[in-house]
Amino acid sequence: MTHTLIRGGWVLTAAPDASSTPSAIRDGAVLLDGDRVAAVGTFAELSAANPDATVRGGANDIVTPGFVNTHGHFSEGLITGIGSQYTLWEWLNALISHVNPVMTRDKAYAGTMLQGIQMLRSGVTTANDMFCSDPIADEPATPGVVQALEELGLRGVVSFGSGDVDRGFGPAPILAEFDALREAADASRYSTFRVGMSSIGRYSDAAWQEHIDYAVNGGHGIHVHVHEVREEVTAARQRTGRTVVGHAEATGMFRVPVIAAHSVWMDRQDRETYAANGVGVAHNPVANGILASGIAPVAELRALGIPVGIGVDGPASNDSQDFLQAMKTAAILARIRDLQATAMSAREAFEMGTIGGARALRMETEIGSLEPGKRADVVVFDGESPTLANVHDPFQAVVFVAGSREVKDVWVDGELSLADFEVTRVDVREAVARARPLARQLVEQAGLERLSALTGGPLDDTERP
């Protein structure tokens, strides 16, 4: 087999301090052998040892691990940029509650394809997704997500998040959708399955426990929203006498690996409970800002050893799926929260976007850093662009300077899913053309005409729900 050597003026490995691999290598390279990283070192050393290797990248490029998007919703793939005047609970009521009943597999596929393309273009190689919709008995929607990820060549950790409160269908069809998604993921190359749990207010006590039991009995991890807004904490205390974190611990959720999205409104006991149970956190700085949810206490979480990754959240709450924007915003908001420029460095934000996200998902032995034996998920930033003409600090260059326009190549499992700035496996124009009539249909079926210019003009931002 011919090896591939990916060259860079800088190789940022995200390897932990205890690793034998340096965290940053000047004039470096990454050697790929099939779907694995074979070696990391200087270009001079690796090219001399592997003279027949195919070389990509250049002497001025920056090479990084693939980014790990720890939270998102492909179910929102056709409703990007709508309803920006709402806070979370208003947004759920005015928009998402109307979309959930009309979701279908073809819409799931089309939306995932659109948003997956955006993720690849910003260097994402792993997407942890929670598809939120009502379950469908005759044709489950979520296998459409797996199909799109397979075609794109994008690694996915896929889950389904629904709820039975005020829905009239009970937990049984939700568990059936779990089965359909798990079977699709098991048959795929790129996807793995987790149990999705939306938020505590969407579940009866019985359904909440059945979801946990499904995860524990099947040995599956859980992907759940926790403490996204302050009202959620208050409602949970009134209902259960505990915070969501306390209730999750009391009902056995933490017996399996858990990644908790948002975790904005966390008291000291909540944080300590996370640390004691190895809970990972998905920090979603852009979406939390757009929905006015607050700024997560990232520094406090990380100080306790809690693994924190970065998420773009959904296409209707971010609304961009650009991971580089989210990583930059994470660092900025930490500094605003503490009014200190030292609150989060570019390197710390980079680590959260790579190995930190992998740790939060308990996937750090496979992805998240460029080390021998790990999956060959690699990103190359174009060092010939004006933006990266002068790289004084490579971590700042990636986190604060570069944009998706600088992402030149993206490798997933040793194969190019983005090459020379172009998605390699799907026709982008075809994906866009397929999505447009489905988005219009969804808006009409969901009764969202007053929110969308697709069918007559958006709601004035001054109008209140």
Side-chain angles (χ1 to χ4, degrees):
M1 178 183 293
T2 301
H3 292 82
T4 300
L5 194 60
I6 305 175
R7 183 183 186 183
W10 284 100
V11 174
L12 307 182
T13 67
D17 292 338
S19 171
S20 59
T21 302
S23 60
I25 303 172
R26 189 73 172 96
D27 296 321
V30 181
L31 183 68
L32 306 188
D33 183 359
D35 63 357
R36 297 284 171 170
V37 174
V40 183
T42 67
F43 177 70
E45 293 169 342
L46 292 182
S47 59
N50 300 274
D52 297 328
T54 300
V55 178
R56 285 190 69 94
N60 296 311
D61 292 344
I62 301 176
V63 180
T64 74
F67 296 118
V68 182
N69 175 35
T70 53
H71 182 63
H73 301 289
F74 286 128
S75 46
E76 299 170 14
L78 299 179
I79 51 171
T80 300
I82 184 172
S84 67
Q85 68 273 34
Y86 298 129
T87 57
L88 178 69
W89 282 13
E90 296 167 343
W91 176 83
L92 291 170
N93 182 62
L95 181 64
I96 301 302
S97 66
H98 299 282
V99 171
N100 284 352
V102 297
M103 185 54 61
T104 59
R105 178 168 177 161
D106 59 344
K107 294 184 180 72
Y109 170 82
T112 302
M113 188 67 73
L114 281 187
Q115 308 311 324
I117 289 168
Q118 293 184 56
M119 288 186 193
L120 283 172
R121 286 176 167 173
S122 65
V124 170
T125 55
T126 298
N128 180 45
D129 186 70
M130 183 192 295
F131 196 92
C132 294
S133 70
D134 288 355
I136 307 172
D138 53 347
E139 188 183 28
T142 49
V145 173
V146 175
Q147 179 187 352
L149 294 175
E150 289 296 292
E151 294 179 16
L152 283 166
L154 177 60
R155 193 183 313 284
V157 182
V158 293
S159 64
F160 176 68
S162 187
D164 66 324
V165 169
D166 299 328
R167 303 304 297 152
F169 44 68
I174 302 174
L175 301 183
E177 185 88 30
F178 284 176
D179 290 338
L181 179 57
R182 176 178 49 79
E183 290 168 8
D186 288 348
S188 73
R189 172 180 176 180
Y190 291 107
S191 293
T192 53
F193 171 80
R194 278 198 177 213
V195 170
M197 298 182 68
S198 183
S199 60
I200 188 171
R202 297 193 65 199
Y203 298 96
S204 64
D205 291 342
W208 175 269
Q209 194 62 57
E210 284 192 55
H211 282 54
I212 293 172
D213 292 344
Y214 186 104
V216 171
N217 294 335
H220 307 300
I222 289 176
H223 180 185
V224 60
H225 292 88
V226 177
H227 292 189
E228 184 171 357
V229 292
R230 190 170 187 174
E231 294 89 341
E232 178 189 350
V233 183
T234 302
R237 285 186 180 277
Q238 290 177 331
R239 175 178 166 183
T240 70
R242 299 179 283 247
T243 66
V244 179
V245 175
H247 189 63
E249 182 181 45
T251 51
M253 181 183 288
F254 299 149
R255 288 180 287 169
V256 297
V258 171
I259 184 161
H262 301 289
S263 301
V264 175
W265 295 92
M266 304 282 289
D267 64 22
R268 183 178 63 184
Q269 182 60 53
D270 293 328
R271 297 194 293 269
E272 291 174 352
T273 299
Y274 271 9
N277 289 280
V279 176
V281 171
H283 176 40
N284 300 273
V286 177
N288 289 343
I290 287 177
L291 293 172
S293 300
I295 304 174
V298 174
E300 291 92 332
L301 294 168
R302 294 185 49 172
L304 290 172
I306 296 166
V308 181
I310 294 171
V312 297
D313 209 348
S317 62
N318 179 309
D319 293 40
S320 167
Q321 297 292 275
D322 188 330
F323 189 84
L324 295 169
Q325 287 184 4
M327 191 161 56
K328 182 174 183 175
T329 304
I332 290 171
L333 288 188
R335 294 173 179 216
I336 291 172
R337 186 176 187 269
D338 290 355
L339 296 179
Q340 291 286 349
T342 56
M344 183 178 293
S345 68
R347 179 167 179 167
E348 288 171 323
F350 177 79
E351 290 173 347
M352 286 170 58
T354 52
I355 192 64
R359 289 191 185 112
L361 288 167
R362 306 251 187 123
M363 297 176 71
E364 69 273 20
T365 61
E366 289 288 302
I367 63 170
S369 62
L370 299 176
E371 298 177 83
K374 285 198 171 184
R375 294 283 182 181
D377 293 357
V378 187
V379 175
V380 179
F381 287 83
D382 180 21
E384 301 305 324
S385 73
T387 304
L388 296 178
N390 300 291
V391 176
H392 301 287
D393 179 321
F395 293 101
Q396 289 191 55
V398 170
V399 174
F400 292 144
V401 180
S404 58
R405 62 192 173 276
E406 276 71 58
V407 175
K408 180 168 66 173
D409 291 342
V410 174
W411 304 73
V412 180
D413 251 8
E415 297 181 9
L416 282 164
S417 293
L418 186 86
D420 297 320
F421 308 100
E422 298 295 333
V423 176
T424 62
R425 304 189 187 194
V426 301
D427 186 321
V428 174
R429 289 182 179 273
E430 181 181 307
V432 170
R434 180 191 304 112
R436 282 177 173 150
L438 290 171
R440 184 181 183 92
Q441 181 188 83
L442 185 151
V443 166
E444 292 173 346
Q445 290 174 338
L448 300 177
E449 292 91 341
R450 62 193 291 269
L451 295 178
S452 174
L454 292 180
T455 52
L459 181 71
D460 190 304
D461 277 357
T462 61
E463 187 173 339
R464 294 292 181 262

